[in-house]
Amino acid sequence: MDLDGRRESENFEDRRGMSTGTMAGMGIGGMILIGIITLLMGGNPMDVLEQAGGLTGAGTEQAEGTQTYSPEEEAQVKFCKQVLASTEDVWSAVFKQKFNAQYTPPTLVIFKGRVQTNCGGATSAVGPFYCSADQKLYLDLAFFQQMETQLKSGGDFARAYVIAHEVGHHVENLLGILGKAHSQMSQVNQKQANQISVRLELLADYYSGVWAHYEDEAFGSLDETDMREAINCAQHIGDNYLQEQAQGYSQPESFTHGTSDQRMRWLKRGYKTGDMSVTTFSGSYSDL
């Protein structure tokens, strides 16, 4: 992905030098492997907290003094800020053109280890996530290394896709889709709630494709290699793939993010069309 000379977003918080107080009842260490891996791409962090046994401690964050980081890590931070700036430019134009509305960008928070949010506390184990309560994206840069070593999903555009996916949840929030879906999830059984979650995640994948469509249209910044990286990433974060890797079989009723095929298909569809009238919330669940 060619971002040379592109601006960096100012909607950014660097919490890498912050330490977070004890969060009682986290229980992450006791989760089975599939519970951690399946939720790597985030979405609604409260789903993660519920599966982890909940967080009962509010937690605090304290500065640990001046920190220095490697040139490689600082380059990753710059890349994240440039990708976020691109999403701001694209979604501002889309909201104005398609909805005659102003786009309010989210803030990207970079942290290490654990973090406190308005949705509760979380550790890096939950992966990147979006908190609608404070309209912020949370990312531990160590996840990018996990993508390469554990998920076999390296490449700069694969990393951009991760950020764009979480921004996709923010777009869902601004359009009222996220709040409505979460309300519905609280009123149905677990299987039905999981299906609503899958619809949300696939829509965020679609919106990340929509962003890529207009980013490439405006700047010609992508090539076939970039899209292959993103599609490869989508394949390796499908619920079926992750469950099969972790336990040798998959359990469709427990899917919360969609299969590899679904995630790749919706990402590609968004990239090819850029059509904001498309939604994952119409039609039969089996047709997603």
Side-chain angles (χ1 to χ4, degrees):
M1 184 178 189
D2 184 5
L3 293 175
D4 287 349
R6 300 281 291 277
R7 74 176 184 90
E8 300 174 28
S9 174
E10 297 181 355
N11 296 303
F12 176 78
E13 291 181 25
D14 189 345
R15 299 193 199 173
R16 289 175 293 171
M18 307 290 283
S19 63
T20 305
T22 301
M23 298 182 290
M26 184 62 184
I28 284 288
M31 294 175 66
I32 60 174
L33 180 61
I34 188 58
I36 299 174
I37 298 178
T38 304
L39 290 161
L40 278 175
M41 284 302 292
N44 176 16
M46 297 311 295
D47 293 342
V48 180
L49 305 187
E50 290 172 3
Q51 292 192 33
L55 295 180
T56 58
T60 58
E61 290 182 331
Q62 298 177 328
E64 293 186 332
T66 303
Q67 301 288 321
T68 57
Y69 304 102
S70 69
E72 293 77 14
E73 185 165 330
E74 291 302 273
Q76 286 188 339
V77 171
K78 179 179 180 179
F79 176 78
C80 291
K81 293 166 73 173
Q82 287 179 313
V83 171
L84 186 65
S86 169
T87 66
E88 292 166 356
D89 295 341
V90 167
W91 287 115
S92 292
V94 169
F95 267 59
K96 181 177 181 180
Q97 180 180 3
K98 305 296 184 180
F99 307 115
N100 192 29
Q102 182 176 351
Y103 175 71
T104 304
T107 296
L108 172 63
V109 179
I110 301 293
F111 70 97
K112 280 184 178 290
R114 58 179 57 190
V115 68
Q116 187 65 26
T117 81
N118 285 0
C119 295
T123 73
S124 301
V126 305
F129 64 91
Y130 171 68
C131 173
S132 58
D134 55 25
Q135 297 194 10
K136 295 180 179 181
L137 324 175
Y138 292 86
L139 170 67
D140 187 329
L141 293 174
F143 181 72
F144 290 155
Q145 183 63 33
Q146 287 181 302
M147 286 174 60
E148 292 189 15
T149 59
Q150 298 178 19
L151 300 178
K152 312 301 181 184
S153 301
D156 57 357
F157 196 66
R159 295 191 293 271
Y161 160 57
V162 168
I163 296 171
H165 174 93
E166 301 307 332
V167 173
H169 286 304
H170 179 65
V171 172
E172 292 173 341
N173 188 34
L174 295 181
L175 295 178
I177 298 169
L178 192 65
K180 183 179 179 180
H182 285 167
S183 177
Q184 292 174 338
M185 290 169 70
S186 68
Q187 301 173 32
V188 297
N189 62 39
Q190 189 61 55
K191 180 180 178 180
Q192 292 170 319
N194 287 347
Q195 292 180 351
I196 295 172
S197 176
V198 168
R199 290 183 185 272
L200 280 174
E201 297 300 330
L202 295 181
L203 186 58
D205 282 334
Y206 179 80
Y207 285 159
S208 64
V210 170
W211 159 72
H213 172 92
Y214 289 109
E215 159 66 25
D216 194 30
E217 184 178 82
F219 298 99
S221 54
L222 307 181
D223 57 31
E224 291 184 3
T225 299
D226 290 317
M227 284 310 299
R228 281 199 298 268
E229 290 173 356
I231 291 169
N232 177 63
C233 183
Q235 177 185 9
H236 286 85
I237 56 175
D239 285 327
N240 60 318
Y241 179 88
L242 293 171
Q243 289 187 3
E244 288 164 8
Q245 291 296 306
Q247 61 189 20
Y249 60 93
S250 62
Q251 298 171 290
E253 68 278 3
S254 70
F255 290 173
T256 57
H257 288 64
T259 67
S260 295
D261 180 67
Q262 288 173 325
R263 301 201 68 167
M264 291 187 292
R265 185 167 65 252
W266 282 98
L267 171 62
K268 288 189 289 186
R269 185 177 179 182
Y271 175 67
K272 288 180 179 179
T273 69
D275 186 355
M276 286 300 292
S277 67
V278 172
T279 179
T280 57
F281 282 85
S282 63
S284 170
Y285 179 77
S286 62
D287 292 333
L288 286 174

